[in-house]
Amino acid sequence: MTNLLIRLFVGKHGDVQDPKVRTAYGKLSGWVGIVCNVLLCLGKFAAGLLSGSVSIMADAANNLSDASSSIISLLGFKLAEKSADAEHPYGHARYEYLSGLLVAVLVIYIGLQLLKSSAEKILHPSPVAFSWIAIGVLGASILVKLWMMLFNLRVGKLISSSTLKATAADSRNDCISTFAVLAAALISRFTSLELDGWMGILVAVFILWSSIGLTREALSPLLGKAPDAELTEQIRQRILSYEGVLGTHDLMVHDYGPNRMFA
């Protein structure tokens, strides 16, 4: 499926150094995220209404936030491809970093809302109706999110995108949280334990914990993180390759977005 999508929607998909090809990969990932997450949100929302489960509804809201994140990422890739101009001589590639930061903030907000609704469920419990349809929706969701994780991980490595790697990690987290909701529904069905509210709390905490990592990942290049040792060594060796050069010192590398570095 991944290879088919790449062949259909990414022209010259092998030339990942081309900014246009890179943007095409980013847009493809964004649309895949929007379509898959909207479908999952609708399915889980229906299952949540059918069973009255706050943890399933929380998982549906998480998918809705993921769809919003994909929209922001898509917009970020679109804006980042703008050429340099008089006001922005180093280009607009940092929009990709900004979109990642917005995604992280959105995830934090959703996590806090889920934490609140789950706590209310614990304080004011209500019975959850077991539904095999809901179980099927959750199982299908795990499979879809697992594929999305592998898809974004592959594309993220291809174009060296921290945004898509973070999206892959988010899909992995969704697999774990949805599995937890599924386990809670099955335990409640075959025992007298009502874990719906507590599992909703765990899902919310997991989302918030993940969002901290996403925020750090997005902020680091915007704050001017130091270049990695491999890059600095490559630059040093390139400079030393010229006749007459004795050495290097005071190397400064400014990151203006993926593939937009100035030293």
Side-chain angles (χ1 to χ4, degrees):
M1 175 63 83
T2 299
N3 290 332
L4 177 61
L5 289 174
I6 290 174
R7 287 197 300 268
L8 287 176
F9 297 103
V10 182
K12 299 180 181 179
H13 54 82
D15 187 11
V16 295
Q17 297 303 318
D18 187 335
K20 292 183 179 180
V21 174
R22 192 178 190 282
T23 300
Y25 271 110
K27 289 178 180 178
L28 173 61
S29 176
W31 281 113
V32 166
I34 293 170
V35 172
C36 289
N37 282 306
V38 167
L39 292 176
L40 289 175
C41 176
L42 292 174
K44 288 179 184 177
F45 186 74
L49 287 178
L50 191 65
S51 63
S53 170
V54 68
S55 60
I56 294 179
M57 295 293 283
D59 217 23
N62 184 32
N63 286 132
L64 183 60
S65 74
D66 289 341
S68 302
S69 300
S70 295
I71 293 173
I72 294 172
S73 297
L74 184 64
L75 182 61
F77 274 102
K78 180 65 178 176
L79 292 173
E81 71 175 338
K82 292 175 62 178
S83 302
D85 53 36
E87 294 182 351
H88 305 92
Y90 297 104
H92 299 79
R94 277 186 177 175
Y95 271 118
E96 185 176 333
Y97 296 153
L98 288 173
S99 68
L101 182 59
L102 287 175
V103 167
V105 172
L106 181 61
V107 172
I108 290 174
Y109 173 77
I110 293 295
L112 291 174
Q113 292 300 310
L114 299 184
L115 192 65
K116 178 183 176 182
S117 62
S118 298
E120 291 174 350
K121 179 74 172 184
I122 294 173
L123 295 174
H124 308 286
S126 58
V128 175
F130 182 81
S131 168
W132 284 111
I133 295 177
I135 296 299
V137 169
L138 293 176
S141 173
I142 292 173
L143 294 177
V144 171
K145 279 293 182 177
L146 183 61
W147 173 78
M148 290 177 66
M149 178 194 74
L150 296 173
F151 172 80
N152 284 297
L153 191 60
R154 178 179 173 185
V155 175
K157 287 181 178 179
L158 273 174
I159 65 174
S160 299
S161 171
S162 58
T163 299
L164 295 189
K165 290 177 183 177
T167 302
D170 189 40
S171 295
R172 177 204 62 204
N173 295 343
D174 288 342
C175 286
I176 297 172
S177 62
T178 302
F179 181 79
V181 174
L182 178 60
L186 291 172
I187 291 172
S188 298
R189 170 67 175 85
F190 296 107
T191 69
S192 58
L193 297 174
E194 285 295 339
L195 301 177
D196 188 49
W198 293 105
M199 201 56 72
I201 290 273
L202 286 177
V203 172
V205 170
F206 194 75
I207 291 171
L208 288 171
W209 178 258
S210 300
S211 66
I212 293 173
L214 291 176
T215 303
R216 288 175 177 172
E217 183 82 18
L219 276 176
S220 187
L222 290 173
L223 294 175
K225 71 174 181 179
D228 59 64
E230 183 180 356
L231 175 63
T232 55
E233 181 60 20
Q234 286 178 357
I235 295 174
R236 193 178 78 86
Q237 291 299 331
R238 180 66 179 271
I239 294 172
L240 291 176
S241 68
Y242 291 96
E243 184 179 352
V245 175
L246 301 179
T248 65
H249 64 92
D250 296 336
L251 174 65
M252 292 179 289
V253 179
H254 300 279
D255 186 349
Y256 285 92
N259 298 331
R260 298 289 196 285
M261 288 188 176
F262 296 83

